[in-house]
């Protein structure tokens, strides 16, 4: 089946079950929630609405699966690596089906899901599969006694049961970012997908089972924020990894205090993108449009605050408006679509509220996507000029296809505005001058700096936030640290 032949309705509407202890089960109280197709506002399928009791059941399964002597703990690092590699292969083998699932459940263009979300999800498993055999301790010389009288070394052990709570913007990719390193480290997991987009994680659960993972190693509890909160507070969860809003991130910090869970957080952003007058403007405009419009702007690292050096301001804005007007808006399942609907009515209202506030504050909107489909959570992509710090659209994360443009004269002006940015996830710079690029990258308090590019991540490169964009790093070998404990063994040889 090619993308163009893919039937728009090609996704089963059968009720789904969640994955606990190797079994596909309903919620203990039988509750369900509906997941919608944002392009049609119709129900796609129902999934269990897991509650605290289901989370508890999943945590028990995950605990049993990580106890010493369990099948997972007896799996060698090499075998673990092969399982992870197989999961990556299965994702690729089912790529078209997964891309369609992602497109229908989230609204995103199937074409982009096929070349971004799916390969990147697979790549995380492939990349992490190589690390399982390279998680090593050290033999460390001991100086408090005569040489040779003590042997001291460290080992790395899985941290234990991990709760993973993920958002709706890149459902499969976020599941992969979270699961692959946890499994590489030998942990067991309870994963809670977002209530708006549970379907691809459940399908991934089937593929994980097919890859031969022991029962209870991966558990997937569908549900809403209540299930997330139960996981964050559960006394037998050793660590929580969360991606989502800064607000919920702070709630998770509080919930984790009960048993002092280890935490990693990947939160929001309002990422500055800087275009100098000496940049290759064609490239800067195309990449800056992608930085904000990719995934309907529902990206934590969206380049949502554009600084343009004053002499090229008009030229860059003109170019961006032209790029925006070229965007094909429609249902994500249409292979021609470049901008799909937002994920939900709630997100649509939120984004529209920001656009209205920008107009009220006196910013000038340039609007694309003139003929929006009648049904579905569609919104017009918008570029605001004549903006200033202090406006909500400039200061706050919008999480939609809305760009604010600010002119600048000197890097120092940007640095002083950015000092007040609560976020620090990403930044971008476009210039042909290498030293200017490096000086600007140095000045940015952001976890990732793109130079003459945007949206170009890799499984091998650490990703995460400064400031309120989060704690810790995803991807690269840096992420493994979050899933491992270090045990120091000191032996008196006398
Ligand atoms: P969110 O509420 O932070 O949701 C993220 C995940 O946390 C979901 O699985 C959610 O479950 C769960 N959750 C909700 N309340 C929880 C709680 N008290 N304890 C534990 N888990 C909880 O994000 P959202 O409401 O979907 O989106 C709101 C805003 O968050 C967006 O507009 C955007 O600004 C930001 N956001 C950021 C990212 C990112 O990648 N950094 C991704 C998505 C959203 P439910 O599915 O039931 O809500
Ligand atoms: Mg949905």
């Amino acid at each position: 089946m090619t993308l163009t032949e893919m039937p728009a309705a090609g996704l089963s509407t059968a009720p789904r079950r969640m994955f606990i202890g190797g079994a596909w089960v309903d919620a203990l109280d039988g509750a369900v929630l509906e997941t919608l197709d944002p392009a049609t506002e119709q129900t796609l399928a129902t999934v269990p609405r897991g509650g605290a009791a289901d989370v508890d059941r999943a945590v028990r399964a995950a605990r049993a699966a990580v106890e010493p002597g369990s099948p997972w703990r007896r799996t060698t690092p090499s075998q673990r690596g092969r399982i992870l590699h197989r999961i990556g292969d299965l994702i690729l083998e089912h790529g078209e089906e997964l891309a369609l699932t992602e497109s229908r459940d989230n609204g995103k263009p199937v074409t982009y899901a096929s070349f971004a979300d799916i390969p990147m999800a697979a790549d995380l498993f492939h990349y992490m599969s190589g690390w399982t055999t390279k998680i090593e301790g050290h033999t460390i010389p001991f100086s408090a006694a005569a040489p040779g009288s003590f042997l001291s070394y460290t080992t790395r052990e899985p941290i234990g049961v991990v709760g993973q709570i993920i958002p709706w913007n890149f459902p499969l990719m976020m599941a992969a970012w979270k699961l692959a390193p946890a499994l590489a480290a030998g942990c067991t997991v309870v994963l809670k997908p977002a209530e708006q987009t549970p379907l691809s994680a459940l399908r991934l659960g089937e593929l994980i089972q097919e890859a031969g993972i022991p029962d209870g190693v991966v558990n997937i509890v569908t549900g809403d924020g209540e299930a997330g909160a139960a996981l964050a507070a559960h006394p037998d969860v050793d660590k929580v990894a969360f991606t989502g809003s800064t607000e919920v991130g702070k709630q998770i910090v509080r919930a984790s205090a009960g048993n002092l869970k280890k935490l990693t957080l990947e939160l929001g952003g309002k990422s500055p993108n800087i275009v100098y007058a000496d940049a290759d403007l064609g490239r800067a405009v195309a990449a800056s449009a992608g930085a904000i419009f990719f995934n309907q702007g529902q990206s934590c690292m969206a380049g949502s605050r554009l600084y343009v050096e004053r002499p090229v301001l008009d030229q860059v804005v003109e170019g961006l408006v032209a790029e925006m007007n070229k965007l094909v808006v429609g249902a994500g399942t249409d292979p021609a679509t470049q901008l799909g609907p937002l994920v939900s009515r709630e997100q649509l209202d939120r984004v529209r509220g920001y656009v209205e506030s920008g107009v009220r504050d006196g910013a000038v909107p340039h609007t694309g996507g003139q003929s929006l489909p009648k049904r579905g959570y569609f919104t017009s992509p918008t570029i605001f000029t004549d903006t200033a710090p202090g406006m909500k659209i400039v200061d706050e994360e919008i999480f939609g296809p809305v760009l604010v443009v600010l002119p600048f004269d000197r890097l120092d002006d940007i640095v002083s505005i950015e000092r007040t940015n609560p976020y620090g996830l990403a930044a971008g710079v476009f210039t042909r001058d290498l030293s200017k690029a490096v000086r600007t990258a140095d000045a940015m308090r952001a976890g990732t700096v793109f130079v003459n590019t945007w949206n170009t991540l890799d499984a091998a490169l650490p990703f995460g936030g400064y400031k309120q964009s989060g704690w810790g790093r995803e991807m690269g070998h840096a992420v493994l640290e979050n899933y491992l404990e270090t045990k120091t063994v000191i032996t008196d040889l006398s």
Side-chain angles (χ1 to χ4, degrees):
M1 183 172 61
T2 68
L3 276 179
T4 39
E5 291 161 354
M6 207 176 312
L11 191 63
S12 160
T13 53
R16 305 297 204 274
R17 291 175 149 183
M18 56 188 177
F19 188 43
I20 298 181
W24 292 90
V25 299
D26 294 318
L28 286 168
D29 65 3
V32 295
L33 56 84
E34 293 179 355
T35 185
L36 304 182
D37 179 339
T40 63
E41 307 180 37
Q42 302 290 304
T43 300
L44 266 181
T46 62
V47 300
R49 183 192 290 270
D54 299 291
V55 166
D56 188 55
R57 190 159 54 137
V59 171
R60 283 168 202 270
R63 174 59 62 196
V66 81
E67 293 290 12
S70 68
W72 187 232
R73 291 301 286 270
R74 288 202 314 271
T75 303
T76 67
S78 169
Q79 288 166 337
R80 212 160 71 227
R82 283 202 297 277
I83 292 172
L84 285 177
H85 208 273
R86 177 89 186 106
I87 298 171
D89 289 348
L90 285 168
I91 291 172
L92 292 181
E93 280 168 32
H94 295 84
E96 289 187 359
E97 172 209 338
L98 287 166
L100 178 64
T101 303
E102 219 58 336
S103 175
R104 296 219 59 204
D105 209 8
N106 164 281
K108 64 177 64 202
V110 68
T111 312
Y112 294 175
S114 300
F115 79 64
D117 302 55
I118 308 308
M120 184 119 193
D123 211 36
L124 251 290
F125 284 99
H126 286 149
Y127 171 82
M128 288 299 166
S129 73
W131 274 108
T132 56
T133 48
K134 294 157 198 78
I135 295 170
E136 299 165 342
H138 299 287
T139 309
I140 302 171
F142 193 81
S143 290
S149 59
F150 276 78
L151 171 65
S152 40
Y153 61 90
T154 58
T155 59
R156 310 304 307 279
E157 296 184 350
I159 205 165
V161 175
V162 180
Q164 302 189 316
I165 303 169
I166 56 173
W168 42 257
N169 53 345
F170 294 95
L172 183 74
M173 212 166 89
M174 289 299 109
W177 282 28
K178 292 278 183 278
L179 287 168
L183 298 177
C187 294
T188 58
V189 176
V190 178
L191 177 78
K192 210 294 279 177
E195 64 184 286
Q196 298 87 346
T197 56
L199 299 182
S200 58
L202 292 177
R203 184 69 182 106
L204 178 62
E206 292 173 347
L207 299 178
I208 285 174
Q209 199 174 23
E210 190 179 333
I213 214 148
D215 290 350
V217 173
V218 172
N219 305 274
I220 302 171
V221 176
T222 50
D224 58 21
E226 195 188 314
L231 193 53
H234 198 289
D236 203 29
V237 170
D238 298 297
K239 177 210 158 54
V240 163
F242 170 77
T243 297
S245 61
T246 296
E247 188 193 330
V248 172
K250 289 177 183 177
Q251 289 175 30
I252 285 174
V253 170
R254 287 189 282 271
S256 67
N259 66 335
L260 287 178
K261 290 178 186 68
K262 308 320 192 244
L263 279 189
T264 41
L265 305 169
E266 203 260 275
L267 308 174
K270 186 79 180 180
S271 297
N273 179 17
I274 301 166
V275 177
Y276 285 102
D278 68 2
D280 171 343
L281 292 185
R283 176 201 279 228
V285 163
S288 302
I292 185 64
F293 297 128
F294 176 63
N295 216 44
Q296 296 67 247
Q298 300 167 135
S299 166
C300 51
M301 64 167 188
S304 51
R305 191 189 267 175
L306 180 68
Y307 293 96
V308 184
E309 202 168 3
R310 206 175 296 273
V312 295
L313 177 66
D314 292 345
Q315 197 182 337
V316 168
V317 169
E318 227 169 80
L320 278 166
V321 170
E323 287 285 326
M324 177 174 72
N325 287 333
K326 278 195 295 195
L327 289 174
V328 179
V329 182
T333 46
D334 181 341
T337 293
Q338 295 166 306
L339 198 80
L342 300 183
V343 72
S344 62
R345 166 74 52 196
E346 193 186 358
Q347 195 62 16
L348 179 65
D349 290 345
R350 189 187 138 99
V351 171
R352 283 189 178 155
Y354 273 109
V355 170
E356 284 159 18
S357 91
V359 172
R360 268 200 312 277
D361 287 345
V364 176
H366 308 259
T367 306
Q370 270 73 11
S371 57
L372 297 184
K374 297 274 171 290
R375 271 235 306 262
Y377 308 130
F378 291 93
T379 192
S380 306
T382 304
I383 297 170
F384 276 106
T385 53
D386 299 79
T387 69
M391 294 180 179
K392 266 163 64 96
I393 53 167
V394 174
D395 293 352
E396 296 179 15
E397 178 180 51
I398 298 174
F399 227 66
V402 182
L403 179 68
V404 297
V405 184
L406 297 143
F408 77 97
D409 299 300
R410 295 162 43 242
L411 176 59
D412 282 353
D413 303 336
I414 296 175
V415 170
S416 84
I417 297 174
E418 287 303 315
R419 228 172 251 134
T420 66
N421 191 338
Y423 299 112
L425 196 58
V429 49
F430 288 84
T431 175
R432 288 191 169 101
D433 179 335
L434 179 62
S435 59
K436 206 185 272 181
V438 172
R439 268 203 311 279
T440 307
D442 279 354
M444 294 296 112
R445 293 190 65 202
T448 296
V449 182
F450 297 109
V451 179
N452 294 328
T453 183
W454 199 288
N455 280 333
T456 40
L457 299 182
D458 191 284
L461 301 178
F463 178 79
Y466 282 37
K467 301 196 268 183
Q468 292 186 40
S469 288
W471 290 350
R473 293 291 176 269
E474 308 268 357
M475 302 201 288
H477 52 83
V479 68
L480 291 167
E481 287 303 315
N482 305 324
Y483 292 100
L484 293 166
E485 292 280 19
T486 298
K487 179 177 280 175
T488 303
V489 181
I490 306 159
T491 313
D492 185 342
L493 298 173
S494 64

